Amino acid sequence: SLKLSNPHRMGLLALALAPIAFIFTYVYLMDRHEREPLIYLIVSFVLGILTAFPVVYIGETIQMLTGVAEHSAPLQLLVYAFIVVALTEEGMKYLVLRLYNYPQKEFDEPYDGIMYGVAVSLGFASIENVLYVFGSTGTEVETGLVRMFTAVPAHAMFGVMMGYHVGKAKFLTTS
């Protein structure tokens, strides 16, 4: 359970969310032209959190249909990780970026794609990180520290790459 009544649990929550806050702030401050309204970034972040629900549902459904589990052969796990997990996670984040952010009038320069892509990705990373840290009984701090330097920056970088290309595509002019 996620009861936050004791200082240890509050520390774990801070550990899980600190890299998200750091990366988000860094990317936000890198926008030297016209920063995005925080309300759109907050909505993007929350939509990123909400993508976790269909991702988990799709992943569990495919896992049930294919029989892939923790004790499966390494090749099966590799295919599952790259095809099912990666495609569903990045696909859901892309849908938010494309369907919610792309049409916004505030999406008015290529860097905005990066900012929104990072916001959506870090929203997803935040819920995933909290669940992993609180779900790793006995190794919460270690899990939080490892994910601080691996999974969270990876999600942010995927958001940067996706946002870069979406932003570039939106302002691509053909003559």
Side-chain angles (χ1 to χ4, degrees), residues 28-38 41 109 112:
Y28 183 73
L29 293 175
M30 292 302 297
D31 190 349
R32 305 248 190 257
H33 296 103
E34 182 184 336
R35 293 202 175 119
E36 297 313 290
L38 282 176
L41 296 171
E109 63 178 342
D112 294 350

Side-chain angles (χ1 to χ4, degrees), residues 151-171:
V152 173
H155 280 293
M157 287 307 304
F158 301 150
V160 166
M161 290 185 284
M162 186 183 315
Y164 169 80
H165 290 288
V166 168
K168 192 172 177 181
K170 182 170 182 167
F171 298 100

Side-chain angles (χ1 to χ4, degrees), residues 77-151:
L77 289 173
L78 187 70
V79 168
Y80 180 79
F82 280 95
I83 303 299
V84 177
V85 175
L87 283 179
T88 56
E89 287 181 10
E90 300 316 310
M92 291 304 297
K93 290 187 251 180
Y94 173 76
L95 286 175
V96 171
L97 184 60
R98 185 62 180 87
L99 299 176
Y100 173 71
N101 299 115
Y102 194 89
Q104 301 293 338
K105 70 179 175 77
E106 287 76 13
F107 192 148
D108 56 5
E109 63 178 342
Y111 189 84
D112 294 350
I114 292 173
M115 194 67 241
Y116 289 125
V118 167
V120 172
S121 292
L122 289 177
F124 179 86
S126 69
I127 189 69
E128 183 185 64
N129 215 34
V130 166
L131 293 173
Y132 270 103
V133 168
F134 280 87
S136 57
T137 307
T139 61
E140 299 95 341
V141 173
E142 294 85 350
T143 300
L145 289 172
V146 167
R147 292 183 59 79
M148 179 184 290
F149 296 103
T150 57

